[in-house]
Amino acid sequence: MKTLILSLFITAAISFSLHANNNAGDVPVVDFDTFAPRLEYDNDTIYVINFWATWCAPCVREIPAFEQLYARYRDQKVKVLLVSLDFPNQMDSRVIPFIEQHNIQSEVILLDEPNANRWIPIVSEEWSGAIPATVIYSDSFRGFYEREFKYEELEEIILPLL
Amino acid sequence: MRKLFLTFILGIFSAGLFAQGYQVGDVATDFRLLNVDGNYVSMSDYHDAKGIILIFSCNHCPYVVAYEDRMIELHNEFAPKGFPVVAVNPNDSVLVPADSYTKMIERAEEKNFPFAYLLDADQTVFPEYGATRTPHVYLLERVNGELVVAYIGAIDDNYRDASAVEERYLANAINALLNGERPDPDFTRAIGCTIKYQN
């Protein structure tokens, strides 16, 4: 019985600490010039950068795949960044509640740059502007994907780069 | 065998072209789609128009909602000059119930749309045009009786705040056509909601 209580306590403590560790309290709002260097780091890490929004159903559907990728490869040189394109005035009403509700562990930033025609082609010339969209790059690879991902499809891309 | 091979190669090539959709300068195909008023509408119904502002649109997308008032203003500004707005909802209403025909009628009434709001029920129009998102604008110009794509892209450079717009890409493109000039730029990009279809 004592063991049961103890394990319940430990489980509760772990889930509490996991929950408390999500990024809800700290979602930086950045302009494109601040964000841009993160599209072209030159090192031995694989960067997975997903453009999404809370109101975008296919984006929300694929978020667990990125979370799984983050959880599985967090100890290796894989970096997952979720770039929210939500309206900045909906940070408190939509973005933060979404991160809390889904207990998002990956890093989240909100890109605040209304003139998309300027920055979309810098992310990728292939991008029409529809979301979800994802950039995956390393020092030897660059891929752009205007589509929805399943976990296995993401893993298939990054495994050869590890 | 050689002929078969050639047909095969041509098939791949044309499929590739199809997937690309229209580019500026391409002739746009007409359609016949159901309007929110219960009538079918074709672009050929606009006999006297100098062109059409074709906007792939919908109900649910926040980027569309942000632009609805500007779409109304564009129609009111440019329909008298020969460029009416025609909005087409390309989304599968099974996937997005908010974009059903009934909901389209409701939204058109709420906002009192002065323009046609059509349903691409078979989802055949948007792939031919190459539309990927809502809102996605195709400005068509009548040239020798045909509708030719003159501009593709965004309405302007600030989805969030109409009062902070610096470049009215679409309005500038129409004004260029009215002045006998070519739109510059004739292609812009914008964030939008993916068009929803079943694979």
Side-chain angles (χ1 to χ4, degrees), chain A residues 23-66:
Chain A
N23 292 314
D26 181 28
V27 177
V29 178
V30 300
D31 62 12
F32 186 76
D33 291 336
T34 310
F35 164 67
R38 304 192 63 164
L39 290 165
E40 48 193 81
Y41 285 142
D42 188 12
N43 56 41
D44 57 356
T45 299
I46 301 161
Y47 292 92
V48 179
I49 303 176
N50 172 248
F51 296 88
W52 68 290
T54 57
W55 44 260
C56 161
C59 305
V60 169
R61 228 171 13 235
E62 68 172 0
I63 291 272
F66 288 95

Side-chain angles (χ1 to χ4, degrees), chain A residues 53 55-58 61 85-89 111-121 124-132 146, chain B residues 60-63 66-67 95 130 132-134 136 154 156-161 167 169 185 187-196:
Chain A
W55 44 260
C56 161
R61 228 171 13 235
L85 298 173
D86 281 270
F87 302 173
N89 63 8
L111 182 60
D112 178 17
E113 191 70 59
N115 184 5
N117 186 51
R118 183 178 82 84
W119 61 265
I120 285 175
S124 170
E125 280 291 339
E126 295 168 48
W127 190 8
S128 83
I131 54 173
E146 185 173 306
Chain B
H60 87 276
C61 174
Y63 279 92
Y67 271 114
L95 297 175
T132 58
R133 61 175 191 270
T134 54
H136 201 160
D156 58 40
D157 68 0
N158 195 319
Y159 71 85
R160 198 190 316 142
D161 183 358
E167 268 199 82
Y169 300 125
F187 179 85
T188 58
R189 303 182 218 223
I191 295 296
C193 303
T194 1
I195 291 175
K196 310 296 190 295

Side-chain angles (χ1 to χ4, degrees), chain B residues 1 4 20 27 35 38 46 63 68-69 81 113 136 138 143 149 152 159 166 183:
Chain B
M1 183 62 202
L4 183 69
Q20 294 286 316
V27 174
N35 191 9
Y46 295 79
Y63 279 92
E68 276 175 332
D69 290 341
K81 296 178 179 174
F113 284 160
H136 201 160
Y138 289 75
V143 182
V149 180
I152 300 174
Y159 71 85
E166 289 179 13

Side-chain angles (χ1 to χ4, degrees), chain A residues 85-155:
Chain A
L85 298 173
D86 281 270
F87 302 173
N89 63 8
Q90 295 184 335
M91 176 71 94
D92 293 338
S93 60
R94 294 191 62 103
V95 182
I96 302 289
F98 181 91
I99 292 169
E100 279 174 351
Q101 190 191 336
H102 297 267
N103 197 23
I104 303 295
Q105 303 290 314
S106 307
E107 181 183 359
V108 182
I109 63 173
L110 188 145
L111 182 60
D112 178 17
E113 191 70 59
N115 184 5
N117 186 51
R118 183 178 82 84
W119 61 265
I120 285 175
I122 302 175
V123 175
S124 170
E125 280 291 339
E126 295 168 48
W127 190 8
S128 83
I131 54 173
T134 300
V135 174
I136 298 176
Y137 78 92
S138 69
D139 51 7
S140 62
F141 174 85
R142 188 167 200 96
F144 173 79
Y145 311 89
E146 185 173 306
R147 51 165 286 193
E148 182 183 335
F149 272 111
K150 293 188 174 28
Y151 175 74
E152 293 72 21
E153 298 166 333
L154 283 173
E155 199 173 44

Side-chain angles (χ1 to χ4, degrees), chain B residues 29-105:
Chain B
T29 307
D30 203 356
F31 44 71
R32 187 168 176 274
L33 300 175
L34 188 58
N35 191 9
V36 285
D37 68 1
N39 296 313
Y40 280 88
V41 169
S42 294
M43 292 196 290
S44 58
D45 298 338
Y46 295 79
H47 316 283
D48 303 327
K50 293 174 184 162
I52 303 272
I53 305 169
L54 186 65
I55 305 179
F56 290 93
S57 186
C58 66
N59 284 358
H60 87 276
C61 174
Y63 279 92
V64 171
V65 174
Y67 271 114
E68 276 175 332
D69 290 341
R70 278 175 268 183
M71 286 164 58
I72 293 170
E73 286 162 19
L74 280 162
H75 179 82
N76 291 339
E77 180 179 355
F78 289 107
K81 296 178 179 174
F83 285 88
V85 167
V86 173
V88 173
N89 168 19
N91 284 335
D92 183 328
S93 64
V94 175
L95 297 175
V96 193
D99 289 339
S100 69
Y101 181 62
T102 316
K103 297 283 185 188
M104 285 172 65
I105 296 171

